[in-house]
Amino acid sequence: MPTFIAANWQKALPALAVIGLGGWVALFRNDPASEQAMFAALLVIYMLHQIEEHLWPGGFRQFTNAHVFESGRDDWPVDAGGVALVNIGYVWLPVAAAALYPHALHWLGLAWIALTLINAVIHVVTSIRFRCYNPGLVTSIVLFLPFTIWVLTQEVSRGLLSGAEIALLVLLGVLLHLPVAALFVVPYLKKRSTV
């Protein structure tokens, strides 16, 4: 079953995004700027981003292996299982939990807003660095950057976040990328050291 999920999870994204969007409109059309609405919107926006990365046009795994790691392999060190784990376990689960329990998991939701902001910046920097499109770039610019900046601005305008807390969240967004990077970098470095 895990192999099936790793190979096929992205095929469910269009349907999940449509269902998520419909659910969001039904539940939050009268209060679109509530934290619960913002965290739920983040989940739908992330699914749209994941469609670009892994389905249409797709190729995020292959791009990263070719350009970042220069591994000469399409499925190593960034492999299908690791990509599924990150996108389902490290994105969907915490964001969905924050959307379901926005008061109790307020800081979790905001941390993943910051993670999303940093993800967008990484996509832009990667595109500049390699002077080419990388899968996820368009949704990073069109969805991630405006949405995350809007959410943080909303929280500041409501008096729920200070400038120092924004800085802390941005730092947290960077730090939250470290376990994801380690998932792929550590095996890569181990194999390189044995060659």
Side-chain angles (χ1 to χ4, degrees), residues 26-100:
L27 294 170
F28 304 113
R29 69 178 175 269
N30 295 326
D31 192 13
S34 70
E35 280 192 338
Q36 187 170 32
M38 291 189 289
F39 298 155
L42 179 62
L43 185 58
V44 176
I45 288 169
Y46 234 111
M47 288 178 180
L48 296 172
H49 177 71
Q50 292 165 334
I51 288 170
E52 182 188 1
E53 284 186 323
H54 305 290
L55 194 60
W56 186 85
F60 174 83
R61 186 170 34 86
Q62 295 85 347
F63 175 92
T64 305
N65 288 326
H67 289 83
V68 177
F69 290 102
E70 298 178 346
S71 71
R73 292 175 50 190
D74 281 349
D75 202 33
W76 188 85
V78 181
D79 62 359
V83 167
L85 175 66
V86 167
N87 284 280
I88 296 169
Y90 202 66
V91 175
W92 292 0
L93 294 181
V95 175
L100 288 171

Side-chain angles (χ1 to χ4, degrees), residues 10 16 23 38-39 51 53 78 91 101-102 105 111 116 124-125 129 149-150 153 157-158 171 175 179-180 186 195:
Q10 69 278 10
L16 290 173
M38 291 189 289
F39 298 155
I51 288 170
E53 284 186 323
V78 181
V91 175
Y101 306 104
L105 300 177
T116 305
V124 172
V125 169
R129 162 69 179 86
I149 292 167
W150 175 76
T153 303
S157 69
R158 294 174 181 165
L171 175 61
L175 295 176
V180 175
V186 168
V195 175

Side-chain angles (χ1 to χ4, degrees), residues 5 39 46 51 86 122 138 144 153 155 157 174 178 182 191:
I5 292 170
F39 298 155
Y46 234 111
I51 288 170
V86 167
I122 290 169
V138 173
F144 277 7
T153 303
E155 295 292 278
S157 69
V174 172
L178 296 180
K191 178 137 184 169

Side-chain angles (χ1 to χ4, degrees), residues 1-26:
M1 183 61 100
T3 303
F4 176 81
I5 292 170
N8 294 287
W9 69 276
Q10 69 278 10
K11 294 174 186 170
L13 285 167
L16 290 173
V18 169
I19 292 166
L21 181 59
W24 189 92
V25 170

